[in-house]
Short mmCIF file of all heavy atoms in Angstrom, two decimals:
data_model
loop_
_atom_site.label_atom_id
_atom_site.label_comp_id
_atom_site.label_asym_id
_atom_site.label_seq_id
_atom_site.Cartn_x
_atom_site.Cartn_y
_atom_site.Cartn_z
N GLU A 266 88.32 79.02 163.50
CA GLU A 266 89.80 78.95 163.83
C GLU A 266 89.98 78.66 165.32
O GLU A 266 90.86 77.93 165.73
CB GLU A 266 90.45 80.22 163.43
CG GLU A 266 91.93 80.17 163.57
CD GLU A 266 92.61 81.43 162.94
OE1 GLU A 266 92.03 82.51 163.02
OE2 GLU A 266 93.70 81.32 162.34
N GLU A 267 89.09 79.25 166.14
CA GLU A 267 89.16 79.00 167.56
C GLU A 267 88.86 77.50 167.83
O GLU A 267 89.51 76.87 168.70
CB GLU A 267 88.11 79.87 168.28
CG GLU A 267 88.19 79.79 169.79
CD GLU A 267 87.25 80.78 170.48
OE1 GLU A 267 86.84 81.74 169.87
OE2 GLU A 267 86.93 80.48 171.65
N ALA A 268 87.92 76.92 167.11
CA ALA A 268 87.60 75.49 167.25
C ALA A 268 88.80 74.67 166.83
O ALA A 268 89.08 73.63 167.46
CB ALA A 268 86.36 75.13 166.46
N VAL A 269 89.44 75.05 165.70
CA VAL A 269 90.60 74.30 165.20
C VAL A 269 91.68 74.31 166.28
O VAL A 269 92.36 73.28 166.54
CB VAL A 269 91.13 74.96 163.91
CG1 VAL A 269 92.52 74.44 163.55
CG2 VAL A 269 90.12 74.68 162.78
N ASN A 270 91.98 75.41 166.88
CA ASN A 270 93.00 75.58 167.90
C ASN A 270 92.65 74.76 169.14
O ASN A 270 93.55 74.14 169.72
CB ASN A 270 93.30 77.01 168.19
CG ASN A 270 93.99 77.73 167.06
OD1 ASN A 270 94.76 77.13 166.31
ND2 ASN A 270 93.76 79.04 166.96
N LEU A 271 91.44 74.76 169.51
CA LEU A 271 91.01 73.99 170.66
C LEU A 271 91.27 72.50 170.40
O LEU A 271 91.76 71.78 171.34
CB LEU A 271 89.49 74.22 170.84
CG LEU A 271 88.81 73.37 172.02
CD1 LEU A 271 89.33 73.76 173.39
CD2 LEU A 271 87.32 73.50 171.91
N LEU A 272 90.92 72.07 169.22
CA LEU A 272 91.09 70.62 168.87
C LEU A 272 92.55 70.24 168.82
O LEU A 272 93.00 69.25 169.38
CB LEU A 272 90.39 70.36 167.55
CG LEU A 272 90.44 68.90 167.08
CD1 LEU A 272 89.71 67.97 168.07
CD2 LEU A 272 89.84 68.77 165.67
N ARG A 273 93.37 71.02 168.05
CA ARG A 273 94.70 70.63 167.81
C ARG A 273 95.60 70.73 169.09
O ARG A 273 96.70 70.05 169.18
CB ARG A 273 95.35 71.37 166.68
CG ARG A 273 95.65 72.88 166.88
CD ARG A 273 96.08 73.54 165.64
NE ARG A 273 96.66 74.84 165.85
CZ ARG A 273 97.89 75.10 166.13
NH1 ARG A 273 98.77 74.08 166.17
NH2 ARG A 273 98.37 76.33 166.35
N HIS A 274 95.18 71.48 170.04
CA HIS A 274 95.92 71.54 171.31
C HIS A 274 95.45 70.49 172.34
O HIS A 274 95.98 70.46 173.48
CB HIS A 274 95.81 72.94 171.92
CG HIS A 274 96.54 73.99 171.17
ND1 HIS A 274 96.00 75.28 170.87
CD2 HIS A 274 97.77 73.95 170.55
CE1 HIS A 274 96.90 75.92 170.18
NE2 HIS A 274 97.98 75.16 169.98
N HIS A 275 94.48 69.65 171.95
CA HIS A 275 94.05 68.56 172.86
C HIS A 275 95.28 67.60 173.03
O HIS A 275 95.98 67.32 172.06
CB HIS A 275 92.84 67.87 172.28
CG HIS A 275 92.23 66.89 173.16
ND1 HIS A 275 92.77 65.68 173.45
CD2 HIS A 275 91.05 66.97 173.87
CE1 HIS A 275 91.94 65.02 174.34
NE2 HIS A 275 90.91 65.80 174.57
N SER A 276 95.43 67.15 174.19
CA SER A 276 96.63 66.32 174.52
C SER A 276 96.66 65.00 173.72
O SER A 276 97.76 64.43 173.60
CB SER A 276 96.64 65.97 176.03
OG SER A 276 95.51 65.30 176.39
N LYS A 277 95.50 64.52 173.23
CA LYS A 277 95.50 63.26 172.48
C LYS A 277 95.46 63.41 170.95
O LYS A 277 95.31 62.46 170.20
CB LYS A 277 94.36 62.38 172.94
CG LYS A 277 94.52 61.87 174.43
CD LYS A 277 93.41 60.89 174.72
CE LYS A 277 93.61 60.30 176.15
NZ LYS A 277 92.58 59.29 176.46
N VAL A 278 95.52 64.69 170.48
CA VAL A 278 95.46 64.92 169.02
C VAL A 278 96.84 64.96 168.45
O VAL A 278 97.79 65.63 168.98
CB VAL A 278 94.71 66.22 168.75
CG1 VAL A 278 94.92 66.63 167.27
CG2 VAL A 278 93.22 66.06 168.98
N LYS A 279 97.00 64.18 167.38
CA LYS A 279 98.29 64.21 166.64
C LYS A 279 98.32 65.47 165.77
O LYS A 279 97.56 65.54 164.83
CB LYS A 279 98.41 62.94 165.78
CG LYS A 279 99.71 62.87 165.00
CD LYS A 279 99.86 61.62 164.19
CE LYS A 279 101.09 61.58 163.32
NZ LYS A 279 102.34 61.74 164.14
N GLY A 280 99.14 66.37 166.07
CA GLY A 280 99.23 67.64 165.34
C GLY A 280 100.39 67.65 164.39
O GLY A 280 100.98 66.61 164.15
N PRO A 281 100.72 68.82 163.92
CA PRO A 281 100.07 70.08 164.27
C PRO A 281 98.78 70.37 163.48
O PRO A 281 98.06 71.32 163.84
CB PRO A 281 101.17 71.08 163.89
CG PRO A 281 101.84 70.45 162.77
CD PRO A 281 101.86 69.02 163.03
N GLY A 282 98.49 69.63 162.45
CA GLY A 282 97.34 69.92 161.66
C GLY A 282 96.17 69.02 161.99
O GLY A 282 96.31 67.96 162.53
N VAL A 283 94.96 69.49 161.63
CA VAL A 283 93.73 68.71 161.78
C VAL A 283 92.97 68.68 160.48
O VAL A 283 93.28 69.38 159.48
CB VAL A 283 92.86 69.27 162.91
CG1 VAL A 283 93.58 69.29 164.23
CG2 VAL A 283 92.33 70.70 162.53
N GLY A 284 91.94 67.85 160.42
CA GLY A 284 91.13 67.73 159.24
C GLY A 284 89.71 68.24 159.51
O GLY A 284 89.35 68.56 160.66
N ALA A 285 88.91 68.37 158.47
CA ALA A 285 87.49 68.81 158.61
C ALA A 285 86.68 68.10 157.57
O ALA A 285 87.10 67.83 156.42
CB ALA A 285 87.43 70.33 158.36
N ILE A 286 85.46 67.77 157.99
CA ILE A 286 84.51 67.17 157.06
C ILE A 286 83.15 67.90 157.24
O ILE A 286 82.71 68.24 158.32
CB ILE A 286 84.32 65.61 157.40
CG1 ILE A 286 83.32 64.98 156.49
CG2 ILE A 286 83.95 65.37 158.86
CD1 ILE A 286 83.31 63.46 156.57
N GLY A 287 82.56 68.17 156.04
CA GLY A 287 81.28 68.90 156.14
C GLY A 287 80.42 68.49 154.91
O GLY A 287 80.92 68.07 153.89
#
Side-chain angles (χ1 to χ4, degrees):
E266 188 170 36
E267 186 176 339
V269 167
N270 289 331
L271 174 70
L272 180 64
R273 70 186 192 89
H274 289 138
H275 191 284
S276 61
K277 291 188 177 182
V278 167
K279 179 177 177 60
V283 300
I286 180 171

